[in-house]
Amino acid sequence: NPTCDAMFHCGCTWNWAGGWDECNVHSTDPEVLKCPYCSSPPSVSWITEWGVMFCMVLSYYMVAYGKSLLSCCKQKHNQQAYQFPTSPINLMLRLLIPTCTFFIASMVVGFAFFLNSDYDKFLFYST
C-alpha cells in the first residue's frame, strides 16, 4: 500500500494499481534489502492492519463518547439518556482524530519494523 511505500520506499502502491507487484521484496538480487512490512511473517504482520485499525476505532470512540464516559464515572446514579454530541467541532474531531491516529500509529509500527530489521530507509532517513 502507499503507506508502506511512503515509509520504506519499497515500490508498493494501491491494490488496483498493482499492489506489491513492484515491491523490492520480490527482487531476486541478494544485495537488495527487503521491505520489513512486506517481508514480515503472518504472525507479526497483523499488527500493521489490526493494530492500527484498533487505535483508529479507539480514538473515534474516545472523541465520540469520551465526555459521556467521564461524566458517567463521576455521577454513577445519573439516569439521563446519553445525548450524542453533534456540535460542528465534535463532528470535525470525529473525522480528524482517527485520521491523525492512523498516520501516527502507522509511523510508530513502521518505525518498530525499521528498528528490528536491516532495512536502510525510513521516511526521509536513508543510509
Side-chain angles (χ1 to χ4, degrees):
N1 66 43
T3 308
C4 177
D5 186 50
M7 286 189 289
F8 298 111
H9 311 284
C10 62
C12 288
T13 185
W14 299 104
N15 288 341
W16 59 83
W20 73 328
D21 291 346
E22 299 296 320
C23 182
N24 60 16
V25 79
H26 301 297
S27 175
T28 56
D29 183 4
E31 297 295 317
V32 174
L33 295 175
K34 309 297 186 219
C35 172
Y37 248 35
C38 299
S39 64
S40 64
S43 61
V44 176
S45 65
W46 66 271
I47 295 170
T48 64
E49 293 178 28
W50 294 103
V52 172
M53 190 182 313
F54 173 76
C55 290
M56 287 176 60
V57 170
L58 181 65
S59 70
Y60 175 82
Y61 277 103
M62 290 308 292
V63 171
Y65 298 107
K67 190 174 182 181
S68 172
L69 292 173
L70 289 175
S71 66
C72 286
C73 291
K74 290 179 183 176
Q75 303 169 357
K76 291 186 178 186
H77 300 291
N78 185 4
Q79 298 298 321
Q80 294 177 352
Y82 174 69
Q83 293 181 358
F84 199 75
T86 57
S87 70
I89 297 221
N90 188 277
L91 293 174
M92 219 167 25
L93 286 175
R94 280 191 258 162
L95 294 173
L96 186 64
I97 297 292
T99 304
C100 291
T101 302
F102 168 78
F103 288 111
I104 292 168
S106 293
M107 294 302 143
V108 168
V109 170
F111 189 63
F113 274 73
F114 172 71
L115 289 177
N116 289 309
S117 70
D118 307 359
Y119 205 67
D120 61 344
K121 297 177 188 124
F122 182 74
L123 292 177
F124 304 109
Y125 173 77
S126 182
T127 57

